[in-house]
Amino acid sequence: MGSEENDVKLRILQAAKKLFARQGFNATTVRQICEEAGANVSLVSYYFGGKDKVFDALFTEYFSHDILEGDRLSRMDAVSGLKLLIREITAYRLREPEMISLLQQEIIMQSPRMDKIQELTLPIWTLLRDWLKLGRDQGVFRFRSLDHTFISVLGSILFHNKTFYFNQILDNSEENPDLLMEDLTQFIFQAIGYEEQA
């Protein structure tokens, strides 16, 4: 595959990511994607096989499983594992806000594209739930319901960026990513009843 072909495919994916995040998958047309990308409409079919396949390609291209690579996870304790997930998911959220917006829309709408999203994300969410359970079983975390705690922690991590609705009552100060991760980690660990051992 030539560099020009790669460039066109990447422009189509970037345009689709932007438009899907802004106006949703269903409201976005192939023509709009191609206009945004500066590409011929026929290239979506040629390179991807249609709009649904562009959606799949977005998650293949922009959704990384780096966090699950290697055997370091099997050696992690619940505290280290949970901190790693909070850091990695938050970093991804800051790096790819359009993908997170698209992911959130698809989850809320319970779209027919959920199978593709679940295929990619369930291993990470399962890991989060397993570390919460392990920490509770070991007495490191103290909470009643694993399901409620899992959903609350996931919501804190994944949906934290939807602040535009509250812009009128927020300080709107520039947020340092490291401080954001530190605050989010502290909030979650207090919520799950973690007390650092002396």
Side-chain angles (χ1 to χ4, degrees):
M1 189 182 308
S3 63
E4 185 177 329
E5 185 176 333
N6 277 335
D7 179 59
V8 172
K9 286 178 77 172
L10 187 59
R11 286 197 333 257
I12 290 170
L13 286 176
Q14 289 171 339
K17 180 172 66 162
K18 176 181 175 182
L19 292 171
F20 290 165
R22 185 187 308 151
Q23 51 195 53
F25 177 86
N26 291 331
T28 301
T29 66
V30 170
R31 181 167 303 283
Q32 289 172 325
I33 293 169
C34 291
E35 284 173 6
E36 181 74 27
N40 188 298
V41 174
S42 64
L43 293 179
V44 167
S45 292
Y46 179 74
Y47 288 134
F48 299 99
K51 187 169 84 165
D52 286 320
K53 297 296 185 189
V54 170
F55 181 90
D56 292 348
L58 276 178
F59 279 88
T60 302
E61 180 74 22
Y62 294 104
F63 193 87
S64 170
H65 268 114
D66 291 349
I67 192 172
L68 300 175
E69 299 297 323
D71 63 347
R72 66 185 174 139
L73 297 180
S74 61
R75 298 188 307 267
M76 282 190 164
D77 59 81
V79 171
S80 299
L82 185 54
K83 285 181 178 179
L84 172 72
L85 275 182
I86 293 168
R87 185 177 66 247
E88 292 293 324
I89 294 169
T90 303
Y92 178 79
R93 199 165 43 76
L94 295 171
R95 189 173 60 250
E96 290 290 348
E98 293 167 329
M99 288 301 294
I100 291 295
S101 183
L102 179 56
L103 176 71
Q104 292 167 342
Q105 289 176 42
E106 296 293 310
I107 290 171
I108 290 168
M109 292 174 45
Q110 299 180 2
S111 84
R113 294 165 295 283
M114 285 299 297
D115 288 345
K116 178 66 175 179
I117 293 171
Q118 286 181 321
E119 173 190 323
L120 293 168
T121 59
L122 280 181
I124 294 171
W125 309 149
T126 301
L127 190 57
L128 171 61
R129 191 177 191 279
D130 289 348
W131 272 327
L132 287 169
K133 182 180 185 312
L134 176 64
R136 185 180 69 175
D137 291 348
Q138 294 175 339
V140 178
F141 304 149
R142 292 169 186 81
F143 54 83
R144 187 190 61 77
S145 167
L146 178 58
D147 287 345
H148 295 165
T149 302
F150 165 71
I151 292 297
S152 296
V153 169
L154 181 60
S156 295
I157 298 170
L158 190 59
F159 288 89
H160 184 270
N161 70 328
K162 291 298 181 192
T163 56
F164 58 82
Y165 177 81
F166 298 103
N167 275 346
Q168 293 179 352
I169 58 174
L170 295 176
D171 289 339
N172 289 315
S173 58
E174 186 77 26
E175 187 62 64
N176 177 314
D178 293 329
L179 293 177
L180 171 62
M181 288 184 210
E182 185 180 315
D183 289 346
L184 190 54
T185 302
Q186 181 181 358
F187 175 79
I188 289 170
F189 272 76
Q190 285 177 348
I192 61 176
Y194 173 70
E195 292 180 18
E196 200 161 354
Q197 305 298 317

